[in-house]
């Protein structure tokens, strides 16, 4: 062992031990955890957050060291199936359809599985794995996401595990891209570049994206890239890249009105035209007379049929039930009000804030998405990752706390009836609300 290596080990021995423990815990999470074991899940999650905090605290200027730890933590999951989500079965199903030039927006799996000439490899296993809820609905994943699924299906060589490895490769590359452009964007915003590690080493990010194969990371790669392009005044290319982000997940659509004040009126129209044209090109291969109806119908279900880890909605439902309201009717009524409230929130932040400044623009995005999640009846843990990303580029940190406590929502998976614990959800949301209020007061006092 060379003298320089010995010296390095001596200087960083505590961090090396923490890194080893972190990777060991990720290995345990990936290969030795059932999602029904809530106590083990929460314990591992808490330990990984503590290790993440200490690694960033000790080595925040040692970029190469933390980058390698982040990559190794992701590679641990490479050859295992996701253990907290079954969505990957639908990803591969859609990818098989697209790779065989079949439109995933025109037929539901319940219909396709009965066809004798179905060309999907491992069709029955994928159908059984995705579950009845996914199987009876049209695909809700946008066009560029479908392309990623198709690439994974092709590279997977008609093997489910092969497709999983390919999907993981895409997700890991997207996270490295976020690290690259996120660090550049932080420098352009005169913020410390080490803040990117609160994304790159965040256990929620590693477990939900690389581990469970959710494609928020791909969406965020294009989003962060677009924001970086705005920071260097390459707004035309930013429009193209932002359209790619929307074509992976629709969430960035919420932020489009904000650009009315970020640019002048004429420039904003050109920006919207670029986004619209790019989006049309990306969706064109899937267009048919039935596409818009089927896709909008599926998206509408998220407002009026599903509920999970809700904040405000659970409080309203609890009160409404005392007045003999029927939960299945309440969710439909509430689902009709949610888009109206969301539009009102977006318009307020569009016209009442000075979004010309990129820092203010990113802050407005953070508030819009935060308030949207507060009122939404469905907030899956991986949704919070977008807030974590936006938080890095602002002076607020409440989303980091939320990324730690959102694991409490997984208690539902430990129950055979998937019933949530309102006590645990109360702890989750009260801690987030309390810290958010503290930060708001602190920021006002500083001003």
């Amino acid at each position: 062992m060379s003298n320089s290596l010995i010296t390095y080990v001596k200087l960083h021995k505590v961090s090396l031990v923490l890194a080893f423990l972190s990777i060991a815990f990720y290995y345990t999470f990936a290969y030795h955890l059932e999602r029904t074991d809530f106590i083990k899940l929460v314990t591992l999650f808490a330990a990984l957050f503590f290790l993440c905090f200490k690694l960033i605290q000790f080595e925040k200027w040692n970029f190469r060291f933390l980058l390698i730890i982040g990559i190794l933590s992701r590679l641990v999951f490479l050859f295992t199936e996701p253990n907290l989500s079954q969505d990957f079965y639908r990803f591969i199903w859609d990818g098989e359809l697209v790779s065989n030039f079949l439109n995933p927006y025109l037929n539901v799996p319940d219909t396709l599985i009965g066809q004798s000439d179905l060309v999907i490899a491992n069709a029955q296993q994928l159908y059984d794995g995705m579950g009845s809820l996914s199987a009876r609905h049209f695909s809700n994943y946008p066009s560029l996401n479908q392309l990623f699924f198709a690439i994974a299906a092709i590279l997977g060589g008609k093997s489910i595990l092969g497709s999983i490895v390919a999907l993981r490769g895409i997700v890991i590359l997207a996270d490295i891209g976020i690290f690259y452009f996120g660090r550049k964007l932080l420098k352009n915003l005169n913020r410390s570049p080490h803040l990117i590690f609160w994304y790159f080493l965040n256990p929620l990010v590693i477990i939900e994206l690389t581990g469970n194969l959710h494609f928020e990371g791909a969406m965020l790669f294009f989003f962060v890239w677009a924001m970086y392009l705005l920071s260097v005044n390459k707004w035309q290319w930013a429009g193209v890249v932002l359209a790619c982000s929307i074509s992976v997940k629709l969430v960035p659509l919420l932020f489009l009105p904000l650009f009315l004040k970020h640019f002048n009126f004429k420039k904003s129209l050109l920006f919207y035209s670029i986004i619209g044209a790019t989006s049309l090109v990306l969706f064109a291969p899937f267009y048919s007379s039935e596409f818009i109806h089927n896709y909008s119908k599926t998206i509408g279900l998220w407002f009026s049929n599903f509920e999970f880890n809700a904040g405000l909605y659970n409080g309203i439902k609890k009160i409404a039930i005392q007045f003999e309201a029927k939960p299945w009717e309440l969710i439909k009524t509430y689902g009709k009000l949610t888009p109206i409230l969301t539009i009102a929130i977006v318009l307020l932040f569009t016209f009442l804030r000075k979004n010309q400044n990129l820092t203010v623009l990113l802050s407005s995005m953070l508030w819009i998405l935060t308030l949207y999640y507060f009122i939404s009846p469905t907030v899956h843990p991986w949704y919070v990752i977008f807030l974590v990303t936006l938080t890095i580029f602002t002076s607020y940190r409440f989303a980091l706390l939320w990324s730690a406590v959102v694991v409490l929502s997984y208690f539902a998976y430990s129950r055979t009836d998937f019933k949530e614990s309102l006590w645990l959800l109360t702890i989750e949301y009260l801690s987030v609300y309390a810290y958010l209020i503290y930060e708001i007061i602190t920021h006002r006092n500083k001003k």
Side-chain angles (χ1 to χ4, degrees):
M1 188 180 291
S2 66
N3 289 333
S4 59
L5 183 57
I6 293 171
T7 303
Y8 184 88
V9 170
K10 286 181 178 179
L11 288 173
H12 302 275
K13 58 185 177 183
V14 174
S15 296
L16 288 168
V17 170
L18 294 176
F20 175 80
L21 285 173
S22 182
I23 292 170
F25 287 160
Y26 278 122
Y27 179 85
T28 303
F29 206 107
Y31 295 91
H32 300 287
L33 173 70
E34 297 290 334
R35 72 178 187 178
T36 53
D37 191 345
F38 180 69
I39 300 299
K40 186 175 182 180
L41 190 158
V42 170
T43 303
L44 282 170
F45 210 79
L48 286 165
F49 257 95
F50 173 77
L51 292 170
C52 168
F53 170 75
K54 299 308 290 185
L55 280 168
I56 295 174
Q57 183 184 42
F58 292 157
E59 302 285 347
K60 63 182 179 180
W61 304 120
N62 194 345
F63 279 80
R64 185 177 298 178
F65 178 82
L66 292 183
L67 176 62
I68 291 171
I69 297 306
I71 293 172
L72 290 176
S73 298
R74 287 163 169 81
L75 291 177
V76 165
F77 290 86
L78 196 57
F79 299 107
T80 184
E81 290 189 359
N83 54 7
L84 297 182
S85 172
Q86 61 197 59
D87 290 349
F88 70 96
Y89 288 109
R90 184 60 185 262
F91 300 165
I92 300 171
W93 174 282
D94 282 4
E96 287 285 344
L97 287 176
V98 176
S99 65
N100 285 283
F101 302 101
L102 297 174
N103 195 328
Y105 303 114
L106 300 187
N107 292 287
V108 298
D110 275 348
T111 301
L112 291 173
I113 196 65
Q115 297 180 2
S116 58
D117 58 345
L118 187 61
V119 295
I120 295 178
N122 308 298
Q124 192 62 52
Q125 189 176 349
L126 294 173
Y127 174 80
D128 294 338
M130 73 177 69
S132 59
L133 182 63
S134 179
R136 65 174 180 263
H137 292 122
F138 296 101
S139 181
N140 68 313
Y141 305 108
S143 57
L144 192 52
N145 217 349
Q146 297 289 351
L147 177 61
F148 291 139
F149 298 161
I151 291 170
I154 293 168
L155 294 178
K158 301 187 183 302
S159 160
I160 291 178
L161 182 58
S163 297
I164 288 172
V165 172
L167 287 169
R168 283 224 169 88
I170 295 169
V171 171
I172 291 171
L173 287 174
D175 272 355
I176 293 172
I178 292 169
F179 173 85
Y180 177 78
F181 285 113
R183 190 179 173 197
K184 283 178 169 289
L185 178 57
L186 283 165
K187 289 179 180 178
N188 290 348
L189 295 172
N190 293 318
R191 302 190 66 77
S192 175
H194 88 273
L195 291 171
I196 193 62
F197 288 112
W198 283 110
Y199 174 91
F200 201 68
L201 294 182
N202 193 305
L204 182 69
V205 174
I206 294 172
I207 288 167
E208 289 294 0
L209 303 191
T210 302
N212 293 316
L213 294 177
H214 297 295
F215 266 72
E216 266 66 15
M219 170 193 67
L220 288 168
F221 162 65
F222 290 114
F223 175 81
V224 172
W225 185 8
M227 296 303 105
Y228 165 72
L229 290 170
L230 284 179
S231 74
V232 293
N233 202 32
K234 295 182 179 180
W235 61 272
Q236 297 95 333
W237 284 112
V240 173
V241 176
L242 188 57
C244 291
S245 180
I246 293 167
S247 297
V248 178
K249 296 275 186 175
L250 298 180
V251 179
L253 278 173
L254 284 172
F255 308 141
L256 292 187
L258 296 174
F259 293 99
L260 278 170
K261 286 184 71 175
H262 184 71
F263 303 119
N264 57 46
F265 183 73
K266 182 180 178 180
K267 197 171 179 179
S268 65
L269 289 182
L270 289 171
F271 187 70
Y272 294 142
S273 298
I274 292 170
I275 293 173
T278 306
S279 299
L280 286 174
V281 169
L282 292 171
F283 272 98
F286 301 100
Y287 180 77
S288 76
S289 57
E290 301 170 62
F291 164 72
I292 295 176
H293 173 265
N294 292 346
Y295 193 68
S296 58
K297 180 180 178 183
T298 304
I299 296 301
L301 293 172
W302 293 100
F303 291 103
S304 59
N305 280 60
F306 305 142
E307 54 180 281
F308 181 81
N309 189 35
L312 180 64
Y313 172 74
N314 269 325
I316 292 173
K317 184 172 73 170
K318 191 74 174 176
I319 295 169
I321 288 175
Q322 303 300 316
F323 293 92
E324 300 183 352
K326 297 178 177 62
W328 58 90
E329 292 178 352
L330 178 65
I331 183 64
K332 292 185 179 298
T333 303
Y334 189 85
K336 293 175 182 177
L337 293 174
T338 303
I340 297 171
L341 287 172
T342 304
I343 291 169
I345 291 167
V346 171
L347 291 177
L348 284 172
F349 279 89
T350 296
F351 296 108
L352 298 183
R353 300 202 83 199
K354 297 178 180 178
N355 295 310
Q356 296 88 343
N357 182 285
L358 184 57
T359 301
V360 177
L361 178 70
L362 289 165
S363 175
S364 294
M365 292 175 177
L366 174 65
W367 285 113
I368 286 172
L369 197 58
T370 298
L371 293 172
Y372 170 65
Y373 286 161
F374 282 170
I375 66 174
S376 177
T378 304
V379 185
H380 289 296
W382 56 92
Y383 291 6
V384 178
I385 292 171
F386 204 152
L387 294 181
V388 170
T389 308
L390 289 169
T391 291
I392 290 167
F393 304 109
T394 72
S395 55
Y396 290 90
R397 297 289 173 263
F398 68 92
L400 299 180
L401 173 63
W402 200 354
S403 69
V405 297
V406 73
V407 69
L408 296 175
S409 66
Y410 270 125
F411 174 81
Y413 289 116
S414 68
R415 307 286 291 271
T416 54
D417 57 357
F418 295 102
K419 187 176 181 180
E420 296 178 292
S421 167
L422 291 182
W423 284 108
L424 289 176
L425 294 186
T426 300
I427 293 171
E428 174 193 342
Y429 276 95
L430 283 183
S431 61
V432 174
Y433 293 158
Y435 193 69
L436 176 57
I437 292 168
Y438 164 77
E439 286 201 296
I440 291 171
I441 293 171
T442 302
H443 280 72
R444 284 185 175 178
N445 288 341
K446 285 181 179 179
K447 288 181 180 180

